[in-house]
Amino acid sequence: MIPTPASKLSSGTVTSPSNPSHLPLDIDKLYYTRGIFSVQWSADGEHLYFDTNITGRYNIWAVPSNRGWPVQLTVSDERTLLEDPSPDGHYLLYAQDFQGDEKPNLYLLDLTEFTTRNITNSDKIGYRGAQWSPDGRSLVFAGEREGPGTYPVFHYDPDKGTIKKIIGNEAGDCEALEYSPDGHKIALTRTRNYQYTGASVFDLDSGSEMMLAPIDDKSTTVTGGWTRDGKRVYVTSNANDRGIDAVALLELKQDPEFQWLTLQDWDSQLVDVSPTEDKFAYVVNEAGNVRLLLRDLSGQEEEIPPTQGVVRAAKFSRDGKRLAIVHASGDSPHDIWVYDLRARTLKQITDSLVGGLHRENFVNPQLVVYPSFDQTPITAFLYVPANIKADHSHPAIVYSHGGPQWEHYNSWFPSLQYYTSHGYLVIAPNFRGSTGFGREFMESLRKDAGGGDLKDLVAAVDFLKSTGYVDPKRIAITGGSWGGYLTLMALTKYPDLWAAGVSIVPLANWFTAHEAEDPVLQKNDEWLMGTPDEDRELWRDRSPLFFADRIRAPLLLLAGQNDIRCPVKETEQMAEAARKNGVTVEVKIYENEGHGFSRRENEIDAFKRAAKFFETHVSQRPSA
C-alpha cells in the first residue's frame, strides 16, 4: 500500500440526486459554452485580458475589470494564448502555434496602434516562461532556438528587435523565469529530465549564477516570485520529508534551508505574489478540490471564495488591491471573478454558460474513495445521473485522465455532463501516478506504466458494481492522451471487462512513440520506462499494439494529425492491428489538430462520434 493523504478520506453513501431541472443535454449547446485559460490585468487596472474560445477559436479578449462587454483583441484561426502584458501598458505578449503543433511563435500586440509583431519568427520551436522586465523595456523567455529539446534563456529588446542568449542550458534546461523587483536578477527553474527540478538565481550584471536548490533525483522545486526587498525567492517544492508540494522561501545563498510557509497534509502551490506587499496567493489541492488562500509572511491568512471547485489561475492587480480569479466547478464552466482584498467582496466578471443552460441542469460529482489491488486508497469523482434507481440497470463509463502526472479535478467537463445527463454513471479515478497525493504516489509508476495505474482503473469497476446502480455488462472506458493509452491497455489486458472503448490521442507502442515524439517527451519516457534497449521486455509488455489480438470490445480512435506528444502513427497502427482481430474499429483523424482538439467544430464532431459510439455499443441493453 502506498501512503497518501487519501487514507484520511472515506466515501459516503452513493446516491442519485433528486433534480427536477435535470434533463438530457445537447452536445452543440454544451460545447458552445466558453473556455477560459488565463487572466492578466491591464497596467491601469481598468481591464482584464483573457484567452477564450467565444468565437470557436482561442483568441485574446479584454473585459472591464468591474464587468462589462468583452472586446476581441486578436483575430486568428489558430490557437492564440495570453502570455503577459508589459508593465508600461504598451504591449501585450501572446503565443500562437500552428494547427495544434505546440510550437508557438511569440507576438507583441501594440495596445496603442493595435498592430502585431512576430518577435520570434521561428518554425517548430518551443518557448516557455516569457516575462517582462519590471521597467517594461525588455523581456526574457526560454526557447529551443539552439536545438530541439534544449531551453536556454534569451533576451528580447522591443525597440531594437534583437534577440540574444543570456543564460545557457548546460546546468539544465530553463523554465519558470521570474525577474527580481529591481530587474537585476532572474530566478529560474532548472531541469535535466522534466521530472526533477532545482532553483537558481542569475545575476544579469555579473553574469554569475547561484544555485539555491540543486537538481537531485527525488524532488521538484519551481520558482514563483520574489519578496519585495529582493532578498528571498518564493518556490513551490516537495523537497521535504513528506514529499508534499508546499510554498517555501529561499534566501540568496548557496544551499539555503527551505523556510516552509504552507506545508500540510495536502499539496499546496504558489499562484501569485503581491507586487506591493509581502503577501502571496496559493492553492490547496484536497483530492481534486482546489481552494484559494491569501497569506502574508507573518502567517495571517484568509480563504477566498468561491470555496467549491477549482481555481485555474489567480493574479494580483498591479496596485495589489484586487485579485482576478479563474474558477470552475463540476457544475459550472471557467469564469473570471474579481476579489477586493480590502472590502472582501467577490464579483463575477464573465458568464460562460450559453443557450439557457444553468448550474441546476448539471450534476455535481461525488468524491469517493475505494481500495485498489494492494489496498492503496484511490480517490475518484463519481457522476451519478439524477432521478435514477439503484436497480443494477444503468450503463457506466470509466474516465481516465491524461498525464499520467495530472489529476482529475472537480472542474468543468462538458462531455461528462453529457454522459451523465443521458443516464451513464461516470467514474474518474485519480490512479497512481497522479499528482496531488504526494511524491511517492506520483513516482510509483516508474518501470510500471500501464501496471498499477491500470489495476486502479479495474478496481474502479468493482466500485461501480458495488453502488447497485450499474449493469456490469455495460461498462465502457475512455480517456485522452495517457487516458487514451490506458484505454487501449484496458481493452488488451482485461478484454472481457468492457463493453466498448473510446481512445483519444493515445500512445500505442512505446518504441515508435519514443522514436517520433518531441525530445522533451523522450526524456520523460526514459525517466518513466527506462530505455528501449535495456528495458525492452517492459516496453513491449506495456505497449497495447502487441496485444491487439486480445481486444473483444468495439473501439473508437480519435487523433490529431499534428500531435507531437502521441504521434498520429500511434493511432493508425493500433487501428490496423485491432481490425485484424475482427472487432469493430472506427477512426477519425483531424488534419488541423494536435494533441487534443481546440477548434470548436472538431470538438463537437469528435464528441458526437464518441457519444454515438457509446449509444450504439453501451447504452442499449444487449438482447437476451
Side-chain angles (χ1 to χ4, degrees):
M1 183 179 79
I2 302 172
T4 81
S7 61
K8 299 181 179 181
L9 302 176
S10 60
S11 297
T13 302
V14 173
T15 58
S16 168
S18 175
N19 184 358
S21 298
H22 199 59
L23 71 164
L25 296 169
D26 176 73
I27 291 175
D28 292 87
K29 189 178 291 187
L30 274 169
Y31 277 89
Y32 269 84
T33 294
R34 298 144 185 173
I36 298 174
F37 276 140
S38 61
V39 65
Q40 296 277 3
W41 290 88
S42 64
D44 60 8
E46 294 296 316
H47 289 85
L48 293 164
Y49 304 121
F50 62 109
D51 34 25
T52 178
N53 62 344
I54 289 176
T55 63
R57 299 290 186 272
Y58 276 95
N59 273 284
I60 313 300
W61 292 62
V63 64
S65 57
N66 61 352
R67 189 178 171 90
W69 191 264
V71 175
Q72 188 170 354
L73 300 182
T74 65
V75 181
S76 176
D77 194 51
E78 299 295 347
R79 179 171 53 187
T80 304
L81 298 178
L82 178 64
E83 290 287 338
D84 198 19
S86 62
D88 58 8
H90 191 177
Y91 296 110
L92 185 64
L93 178 69
Y94 65 89
Q96 186 179 103
D97 68 356
F98 179 71
Q99 297 189 348
D101 67 1
E102 297 187 61
K103 298 294 184 180
N105 273 288
L106 299 178
Y107 292 79
L108 289 185
L109 170 64
D110 188 309
L111 292 169
T112 303
E113 300 177 357
F114 282 90
T115 56
T116 60
R117 186 196 321 173
N118 184 340
I119 67 172
T120 47
N121 287 299
S122 56
D123 184 45
K124 306 299 182 185
I125 289 178
Y127 295 97
R128 58 166 63 118
Q131 191 181 69
W132 288 96
S133 60
D135 61 10
R137 297 176 63 183
S138 62
L139 59 87
V140 292
F141 52 80
E144 296 177 295
R145 296 177 71 89
E146 295 189 336
T150 62
Y151 283 87
V153 176
F154 296 87
H155 174 276
Y156 176 76
D157 185 320
D159 295 332
K160 299 177 181 178
T162 56
I163 296 177
K164 65 176 181 179
K165 186 173 77 170
I166 57 172
I167 304 175
N169 66 310
E170 295 80 8
D173 291 315
C174 305
E175 53 189 3
L177 313 179
E178 297 287 343
Y179 265 105
S180 61
D182 63 8
H184 291 281
K185 298 180 179 67
I186 296 176
L188 64 145
T189 304
R190 292 272 196 185
T191 180
R192 296 191 184 280
N193 59 6
Y194 298 92
Q195 290 297 330
Y196 303 118
T197 62
S200 65
V201 169
F202 186 87
D203 190 305
L204 294 167
D205 297 327
S206 67
S208 61
E209 185 170 356
M210 179 182 295
M211 186 63 68
L212 305 183
I215 303 172
D216 58 25
D217 61 354
K218 63 180 181 179
S219 64
T220 60
T221 300
V222 179
T223 55
W226 293 74
T227 55
R228 292 304 303 155
D229 60 10
K231 295 182 178 180
R232 291 177 290 178
V233 173
Y234 288 96
V235 297
T236 297
S237 178
N238 60 14
N240 52 67
D241 292 341
R242 302 184 196 179
I244 291 287
D245 275 350
V247 182
L249 284 173
L250 294 175
E251 294 184 12
L252 302 190
K253 63 181 183 180
Q254 288 293 141
D255 298 325
E257 291 187 6
F258 286 83
Q259 180 188 342
W260 297 104
L261 303 176
T262 68
L263 185 58
Q264 51 191 281
D265 290 337
W266 292 99
D267 274 358
S268 54
Q269 297 178 328
L270 184 70
V271 178
D272 196 26
V273 176
S274 170
T276 58
E277 54 186 318
D278 282 326
K279 179 178 289 189
F280 63 96
Y282 75 101
V283 291
V284 177
N285 175 9
E286 297 181 358
N289 285 291
V290 181
R291 301 184 294 113
L292 178 66
L293 298 98
L294 287 180
R295 185 182 179 96
D296 62 30
L297 296 187
S298 69
Q300 295 294 314
E301 73 176 25
E302 62 174 308
E303 185 169 348
I304 307 301
T307 57
Q308 296 297 316
V310 297
V311 173
R312 171 177 277 180
K315 191 71 177 177
F316 283 99
S317 59
R318 295 191 184 277
D319 61 8
K321 296 179 179 179
R322 291 174 293 170
L323 195 68
I325 302 163
V326 180
H327 176 271
S329 59
D331 60 354
S332 180
H334 291 91
D335 271 309
I336 298 173
W337 300 69
V338 169
Y339 182 75
D340 187 303
L341 274 65
R342 292 182 180 176
R344 295 188 175 180
T345 56
L346 186 71
K347 185 174 185 177
Q348 186 171 351
I349 305 302
T350 63
D351 294 288
S352 290
L353 283 175
V354 298
L357 293 175
H358 303 281
R359 294 185 70 170
E360 55 264 29
N361 300 136
F362 310 119
V363 164
N364 252 322
Q366 305 170 33
L367 183 64
V368 299
V369 186
Y370 61 86
S372 191
F373 67 98
D374 60 353
Q375 300 306 305
T376 294
I378 303 299
T379 70
F381 284 102
L382 180 66
Y383 300 72
V384 183
N387 314 316
I388 65 171
K389 296 180 180 179
D391 57 5
H392 303 280
S393 69
H394 304 282
I397 296 171
V398 176
Y399 177 82
S400 175
H401 68 71
Q405 292 173 0
W406 193 245
E407 183 176 357
H408 187 87
Y409 295 94
N410 182 15
S411 188
W412 174 248
F413 294 90
S415 61
L416 304 192
Q417 291 294 339
Y418 175 87
Y419 289 135
T420 306
S421 79
H422 285 261
Y424 299 86
L425 281 83
V426 180
I427 190 167
N430 280 316
F431 45 81
R432 67 195 68 206
S434 301
T435 52
F437 299 88
R439 187 170 62 214
E440 183 176 352
F441 188 80
M442 185 189 72
E443 293 186 351
S444 63
L445 287 190
R446 292 195 73 178
K447 299 294 183 76
D448 191 37
D453 48 354
L454 180 58
K455 292 177 182 178
D456 294 342
L457 295 182
V458 171
V461 173
D462 295 331
F463 181 84
L464 284 172
K465 295 176 182 178
S466 74
T467 66
Y469 287 97
V470 174
D471 180 349
K473 295 182 179 180
R474 292 195 293 152
I475 301 175
I477 185 167
T478 188
S481 189
W482 193 263
Y485 164 68
L486 286 181
T487 295
L488 298 179
M489 286 293 293
L491 295 178
T492 56
K493 297 292 187 178
Y494 297 88
D496 298 323
L497 203 58
W498 314 101
V502 175
S503 178
I504 305 168
V505 294
L507 179 157
N509 179 345
W510 279 102
F511 297 98
T512 54
H514 179 263
E515 186 177 296
E517 69 192 0
D518 189 73
V520 170
L521 273 297
Q522 290 177 337
K523 296 177 183 179
N524 183 76
D525 286 354
E526 292 165 11
W527 172 86
L528 182 63
M529 291 285 286
T531 67
D533 294 327
E534 296 179 0
D535 299 279
R536 187 172 187 81
E537 287 305 312
L538 174 66
W539 282 49
R540 188 181 190 282
D541 181 64
R542 303 304 165 84
S543 295
L545 178 75
F546 299 115
F547 306 96
D549 60 339
R550 298 181 182 179
I551 296 177
R552 302 288 179 268
L555 170 63
L556 171 63
L557 290 152
L558 302 169
Q561 182 67 41
N562 306 308
D563 195 335
I564 66 169
R565 296 174 181 267
C566 297
V568 67
K569 182 176 175 59
E570 298 298 296
T571 290
E572 293 170 339
Q573 62 183 342
M574 191 69 202
E576 181 181 356
R579 283 180 176 137
K580 291 179 181 178
N581 194 32
V583 298
T584 298
V585 179
E586 296 181 16
V587 182
K588 175 62 177 176
I589 296 170
Y590 296 91
E591 299 296 325
N592 54 0
E593 298 283 7
H595 193 64
F597 316 130
S598 64
R599 299 167 188 263
R600 180 173 288 144
E601 67 273 19
N602 293 339
E603 285 186 305
I604 291 173
D605 182 79
F607 190 63
K608 283 184 174 178
R609 290 173 186 269
K612 182 179 179 181
F613 195 80
F614 282 146
E615 181 181 358
T616 300
H617 299 291
V618 183
S619 182
Q620 303 302 319
R621 283 193 175 191
S623 57

